[in-house]
Amino acid sequence: MRENKIIPYLSTKKLYPENQESPIHFLDNGQTPIHYFYRRNHFAYPILNPLRFGVEISGQVSQPRFFNLNELLSMPRKSLLIPLECSGNKRAKFTPEVFGEQWQDGAISQGKWTGVSLTYLLELVGLTPNALEVLFQGSDYGNKPGKLEKFHFERSLPLEKALHPDTIIAFQYNDNPISFKHGYPLRLIVPNWYAMASVKWLNRIKVIDHHFTGPFQTEDYVYYPDKDSDVGQFPVTTINVNSIIQQPLDLAILETGTHTIQGIAWSGLGPISEVELSFDQSETWIKASLHPLSNQKYAWSRWSYEWKVSQKGEYTIYVRARDSIGRVQPITPFWNRKGYGYNAVSHIKVKVN
């Protein structure tokens, strides 16, 4: 009799709009299967028009143009292994608590994105001297709390970031068409930035000569470090250096002996250079073994440590990561009112019998 295979599931944070957390603690593949990719939405899923599958580029360009999906599929393409992390990942860990989706560790997923470099398309349409930012609009729209009108999800990038050769208009994920729930048919992919920049269901690109001030640019996705002030300090952009312990799970009960402690670490500024563990409340640190994915400059790094434990009792295990430019996870997170960018040292508790 064949044993039934036990599989993990997404963890529901909200049904409408749908927000689901990836079972990140049970995934050990460098490419997250699409059915385990976390889901983050501000609005209901859009209704798409197959006759308009493509992207329109207008604004501060010499030759405005609509590129249909078939044209994009025939253009030079590139594939990149990139993690996308929601800027609210780990929001539930902030103290004092903050409002918003209470993500634990699983608002992050990684896979191979394939598409056309945005800079290639912008060269075809030609930028004018007045170009300052590039604005991206998704097909999803709806009401935003506190606002009377409806909004599309729109975000802009500074010209330098938009012109980076690895900023792509993707049409495939893990060698298959992007799934509907993750942006089909086209999704902007912005390496090293939190995933709010990677606009789903992309249908319009407008090159503008001013700074965009839409609500998802200047109200949301801004750090507000003062709990009583509505004045943002600076925008959410680059992913912080971060890590998690995938196994063992928090509050697990273990036996004496040898256990593999393992997880992932990532950063938006250079590869991970070091991962360390502490078993004495961060007084001393021990290096873990790094297992980076070769020739993948954006991908997370896997790490592991063989822990030999002979004494029964309760243990707290800390992990911290350092990236190649020297950023290291802090003991205390940078608290902000909307709960973005949590990257304090991760820890779990286990009991050894």
Side-chain angles (χ1 to χ4, degrees):
M1 181 178 179
R2 188 173 64 181
E3 183 179 354
N4 290 332
K5 184 178 180 181
I6 299 174
I7 61 174
Y9 296 90
L10 297 173
S11 175
T12 302
K13 298 301 177 183
K14 185 185 286 186
L15 289 178
Y16 186 87
E18 185 182 20
N19 288 294
Q20 305 268 8
E21 185 165 332
S22 172
I24 190 68
H25 294 274
F26 302 97
L27 303 179
D28 59 4
N29 194 314
Q31 296 184 16
T32 306
I34 193 61
H35 52 282
Y36 288 143
F37 202 107
Y38 78 95
R39 300 171 189 174
R40 173 67 175 111
N41 294 289
H42 290 277
F43 305 120
Y45 290 110
I47 298 173
L48 303 178
N49 179 0
L51 298 179
R52 293 289 295 175
F53 279 179
V55 64
E56 174 188 322
I57 303 182
S58 62
Q60 298 295 317
V61 297
S62 302
Q63 297 178 313
R65 183 175 166 187
F66 177 79
F67 295 92
N68 66 49
L69 181 58
N70 286 333
E71 287 180 280
L72 296 172
L73 292 172
S74 68
M75 291 178 177
R77 61 179 64 185
K78 65 167 49 181
S79 295
L80 300 165
L81 190 63
I82 295 175
L84 291 187
E85 181 184 15
C86 176
S87 59
N89 193 26
K90 302 190 180 187
R91 179 182 283 129
K93 301 176 187 290
F94 274 109
T95 303
E97 297 174 334
V98 295
F99 290 97
E101 303 298 343
Q102 295 301 298
W103 303 107
Q104 294 288 337
D105 296 326
I108 182 172
S109 300
Q110 176 173 273
K112 182 169 75 170
W113 298 93
T114 300
V116 181
S117 288
L118 174 61
T119 185
Y120 179 83
L121 297 180
L122 294 178
E123 287 174 357
L124 293 179
V125 297
L127 297 177
T128 68
N130 293 329
L132 181 66
E133 292 185 355
V134 183
L135 177 63
F136 305 89
Q137 183 186 95
S139 295
D140 53 329
Y141 74 98
N143 293 106
K144 192 175 186 299
K147 304 286 185 181
L148 295 178
E149 65 267 46
K150 292 181 182 293
F151 292 90
H152 280 270
F153 187 82
E154 292 180 302
R155 293 268 314 174
S156 73
L157 289 176
L159 198 60
E160 181 182 10
K161 189 67 176 177
L163 292 176
H164 191 285
D166 290 343
T167 297
I168 64 173
I169 308 301
F171 42 73
Q172 286 184 351
Y173 176 77
N174 289 349
D175 298 321
N176 291 301
I178 299 172
S179 74
F180 169 68
K181 290 193 173 184
H182 295 93
Y184 177 85
L186 298 173
R187 179 170 187 170
L188 177 69
I189 297 295
V190 184
N192 288 338
W193 279 32
Y194 283 107
M196 77 282 153
S198 295
V199 176
K200 293 175 287 188
W201 307 292
L202 181 67
N203 61 13
R204 287 188 176 89
I205 297 173
K206 186 175 183 180
V207 182
I208 57 178
D209 59 1
H210 57 279
H211 294 294
F212 178 60
T213 58
F216 293 107
Q217 190 89 14
T218 58
E219 297 176 14
D220 291 345
Y221 303 113
V222 177
Y223 289 104
Y224 296 86
D226 187 337
K227 65 182 179 64
D228 298 316
S229 174
D230 289 330
V231 178
Q233 190 176 88
F234 52 93
V236 176
T237 56
T238 306
I239 295 172
N240 290 326
V241 60
N242 218 330
S243 66
I244 62 167
I245 298 172
Q246 291 177 292
Q247 294 291 329
L249 296 177
D250 190 27
L251 302 179
I253 299 176
L254 308 176
E255 300 293 327
T256 56
T258 301
H259 298 277
T260 299
I261 305 171
Q262 61 188 18
I264 55 175
W266 63 95
S267 171
L269 286 177
I272 296 298
S273 60
E274 185 178 72
V275 172
E276 298 175 300
L277 297 173
S278 177
F279 299 89
D280 57 7
Q281 308 294 316
S282 75
E283 290 294 324
T284 61
W285 294 89
I286 304 168
K287 285 188 179 181
S289 298
L290 269 180
H291 314 290
L293 293 167
S294 60
N295 302 318
Q296 298 294 339
K297 57 184 175 179
Y298 300 116
W300 62 43
S301 290
R302 300 197 61 79
W303 59 266
S304 64
Y305 179 78
E306 296 302 310
W307 181 40
K308 296 180 180 179
V309 55
S310 59
Q311 298 293 322
K312 298 178 182 179
E314 296 181 6
Y315 295 83
T316 301
I317 306 171
Y318 290 77
V319 63
R320 70 180 182 188
R322 186 186 307 272
D323 65 22
S324 61
I325 69 164
R327 298 192 307 169
V328 64
Q329 288 179 257
I331 296 295
T332 303
F334 173 68
W335 188 93
N336 59 98
R337 186 155 50 88
K338 291 194 176 238
Y340 297 132
Y342 186 101
N343 77 321
V345 167
S346 300
H347 68 274
I348 63 169
K349 287 185 176 181
V350 297
K351 184 176 183 179
V352 177
N353 283 337

